[in-house]
Amino acid sequence: MRINTNSTRLKTILKSSAAAGLATVMVYGGATGYVAQAFADPVKVDAAAAAPGFADVVTAVSPAVVSVRVKGEMKQVSDSMPGFGSGQGFGDLPENHPLRRFFDQFGGPGFKGIPDGDNAPHQARPMSQGSGFFISKDGYVVTNNHVVDNGTEFSVLLDDGTELEATLVGKDRRTDLAVLKVDAKRDFTYVDFADDKKARVGDWVVAVGNPFGLGGSVTAGIVSALGRDIGSGPYDDYIQIDAAVNRGNSGGPAFNLDGEVVGINTAIFSPSGGNVGIAFAIPAYVAQDVVQDLIDDGEIERGWLGVQIQPVDAEIAESLGLEKQQGALVVEPQEGSPGAKAGIEAGDVIVSMNGEPIEDARDLSVKVASAGPSKEVELSVWRKGETKSVEVTLGDLANAGGNAQEEQKEKAPAPSSQDALPSLGLTVAPAQDGKGLLIAKVDPESEAAARGISEGERIASINNNEVADVDDAKDILADVRKSDRSHALFQIEGEQGSRFVALPIQQS
């Protein structure tokens, strides 16, 4: 029998090569290839380079972080209802507000007590526990307003277990910040604020604080988002982090890897009341200015324009002929306010202040507040297709009065006076006082219904033109169609005040 010598030779090579762990030469259809060594090195990851530890940062900053303890006069709380504190401002959110629950569940235990009754006894007792940190060697401590609010006695517990009395220097409800002062004949370890304008999503952060009253605890995570607006006030610009933050972390710092304070932990979003990886911190740039003002004056002075504003979305911008989505839309100037005196009108879009562009409504609030009282500013407003300049001397927000007038909802008019605007899904009629159109019916399938317009409200103007009857409305809409715009801007007035809504219109 004839032996296939080529096959036998190949098997011999394979056996000897495998035993020796050598690269093997293979022949496939005349092409030569190579098989890698059988004993290659395993995969290794340099963990130290990929994820540095936080021990050095924690060791350096921990002596500057304190637990804040607050006592005050308050009614006895029910043992069965251990409410969690949120504080002035956040606690003022409506009961049906989607963020009300998580604010109620954040802060020191027993901060916002539920009285057993009107005759519940008053006594000095612990109100809350939170966190804070030294920002100077002579004992200034930063924390949250909602930690110290309504307190009469304050103390801080240091990292080494020493408890020292503190006094309240000042607090600011609108930014939820407060400053305490510890007077002791010693120098304190303190930390500095970071340039958080350089913070990026994905940066490491280390949170140090006093969760559940346990004392100094450390958690780590990353910056999850920047510029969060959580509906707590006009100056919302929170840093969102995923480091574990719980009740009692309020007022504690979030550090970067250089040991600088990026933000002050203030609130969490949580269906259960515990950490779910969504926490919000006041950015350092906000805290730094407010804290310095509190130290200098004990209070914050803010400029006041006195106009109700709302954001400009893409549809509102298109309806007004703006080239891009920017600025703050004036819903209504408050009577007697600096804005009203300067001639700012409902429907104006404020697009810049002192030559600096206004990005949105929140940006205008921040810029006006930062300018301060008695400051003269120049506003550029977009009004009926033209840019106008308005000079305003700002007032003092602390002395600004609220709108005392309450708008009453009018009853829908009698059927005989109604007329339909079928393209909008609305049935309207002239208001009894001759100002605007009352909305008698809203098609539930219409865009008007989808955007929250309801029966009993009033159309005050369309594209900043007042309307007195249905013919006015039809004429204005016809002009809008001729300008090739796809939306018209409606000023809607109701029980909740005035607002602007952009509605799509059909092209004829």
Side-chain angles (χ1 to χ4, degrees):
M1 180 174 68
R2 187 171 180 175
I3 299 174
N4 188 333
T5 56
N6 289 337
S7 175
T8 303
R9 188 177 298 112
L10 179 59
K11 291 179 180 178
T12 303
I13 292 172
L14 288 171
K15 289 179 180 179
S16 61
S17 298
L22 302 175
T24 304
V25 178
M26 303 290 290
V27 178
Y28 297 100
T32 302
Y34 295 88
V35 177
Q37 289 185 356
F39 303 131
D41 292 334
V43 173
K44 292 184 178 180
V45 176
D46 187 351
F54 307 107
D56 290 342
V57 176
V58 173
T59 300
V61 303
S62 289
V65 183
V66 300
S67 297
V68 177
R69 298 180 174 180
V70 181
K71 293 182 180 179
E73 295 288 337
M74 62 180 296
K75 291 183 178 181
Q76 180 71 39
V77 298
S78 169
D79 292 337
S80 63
M81 297 291 287
F84 304 140
S86 62
Q88 184 70 23
F90 295 138
D92 291 339
L93 292 171
E95 291 294 338
N96 61 352
H97 194 286
L99 298 176
R100 174 62 184 257
R101 183 179 178 185
F102 87 80
F103 279 126
D104 284 347
Q105 292 177 328
F106 188 79
F111 175 74
K112 187 177 181 182
I114 299 176
D116 289 329
D118 292 337
N119 297 321
H122 287 71
Q123 58 178 315
R125 55 169 306 215
M127 290 176 55
S128 68
Q129 291 187 82
S131 304
F133 56 96
F134 286 107
I135 58 163
S136 67
K137 67 178 181 180
D138 59 343
Y140 283 102
V141 175
V142 176
T143 186
N144 279 145
N145 171 71
H146 77 256
V147 172
V148 303
D149 199 27
N150 298 321
T152 58
E153 299 177 22
F154 311 94
S155 64
V156 298
L157 184 66
L158 307 187
D159 184 54
D160 61 6
T162 304
E163 185 171 4
L164 300 172
E165 292 184 359
T167 57
L168 180 64
V169 174
K171 57 185 180 178
D172 180 46
R173 177 179 61 85
R174 287 183 171 87
T175 56
D176 197 24
L177 289 168
V179 176
L180 301 172
K181 180 66 165 63
V182 178
D183 292 317
K185 296 181 179 179
R186 58 182 289 183
D187 289 344
F188 296 99
T189 300
Y190 67 97
V191 291
D192 200 3
F193 288 106
D195 182 2
D196 59 356
K197 291 293 186 179
K198 297 180 180 178
R200 301 178 303 167
V201 173
D203 283 349
W204 284 109
V205 288
V206 179
V208 185
N210 178 36
F212 301 106
L214 294 173
S217 295
V218 180
T219 57
I222 63 169
V223 174
S224 302
L226 298 169
R228 287 296 198 212
D229 183 349
I230 60 176
S232 65
Y235 312 122
D236 280 15
D237 192 17
Y238 290 99
I239 297 173
Q240 181 183 329
I241 64 175
D242 70 348
V245 173
N246 289 285
R247 300 193 307 273
N249 275 112
S250 287
F255 294 101
N256 60 21
L257 296 189
D258 293 325
E260 299 170 323
V261 178
V262 175
I264 300 170
N265 300 320
T266 297
I268 60 174
F269 185 85
S270 172
S272 63
N275 169 63
V276 294
I278 301 177
F280 302 101
I282 301 167
Y285 90 91
V286 172
Q288 195 165 15
D289 292 341
V290 171
V291 166
Q292 191 59 54
D293 284 348
L294 290 175
I295 292 174
D296 293 342
D297 305 318
E299 59 182 6
I300 306 299
E301 291 186 339
R302 291 188 173 94
W304 175 56
L305 183 59
V307 295
Q308 181 185 344
I309 54 177
Q310 73 178 62
V312 177
D313 59 26
E315 293 172 347
I316 290 176
E318 193 271 345
S319 70
L320 292 175
L322 283 169
E323 293 183 358
K324 59 181 179 179
Q325 179 181 337
Q326 70 166 99
L329 177 61
V330 177
V331 177
E332 184 179 14
Q334 183 175 327
E335 185 178 354
S337 69
K341 291 177 181 179
I344 294 178
E345 301 175 359
D348 285 349
V349 178
I350 301 174
V351 295
S352 73
M353 175 173 154
N354 290 338
E356 296 184 12
I358 300 297
E359 296 179 6
D360 51 31
R362 183 177 60 183
D363 187 32
L364 176 63
S365 297
V366 172
K367 283 184 168 63
V368 168
S370 300
S374 304
K375 181 78 172 183
E376 292 185 1
V377 298
E378 183 179 358
L379 302 177
S380 291
V381 302
W382 180 260
R383 181 184 297 168
K384 296 184 178 180
E386 296 180 354
T387 300
K388 297 183 179 294
S389 179
V390 179
E391 293 185 356
V392 185
T393 300
L394 300 177
D396 187 348
L397 183 60
N399 299 324
N403 280 321
Q405 298 178 354
E406 295 183 1
E407 297 193 30
Q408 296 183 356
K409 188 173 181 179
E410 298 188 46
K411 296 181 180 180
S416 58
S417 62
Q418 294 178 1
D419 202 343
L421 295 172
S423 64
L424 302 173
L426 298 175
T427 300
V428 297
Q432 294 177 0
D433 59 6
K435 297 179 180 180
L437 295 172
L438 288 180
I439 300 173
K441 187 180 298 183
V442 181
D443 182 350
E445 302 298 324
S446 67
E447 278 295 317
R451 300 183 190 205
I453 295 177
S454 59
E455 297 177 9
E457 293 187 312
R458 180 202 303 241
I459 300 173
S461 69
I462 302 175
N463 270 33
N464 294 325
N465 294 291
E466 294 182 357
V467 292
D469 53 40
V470 176
D471 289 337
D472 287 345
K474 291 180 178 179
D475 289 342
I476 296 170
L477 293 175
D479 289 340
V480 174
R481 293 188 183 96
K482 290 177 182 178
S483 66
D484 292 328
R485 295 179 188 171
S486 60
H487 291 78
L489 189 66
F490 288 74
Q491 184 179 8
I492 306 296
E493 295 178 347
E495 286 186 321
Q496 303 304 316
S498 183
R499 68 189 188 279
F500 283 95
V501 179
L503 293 178
I505 57 174
Q506 297 177 358
Q507 295 295 331
S508 56

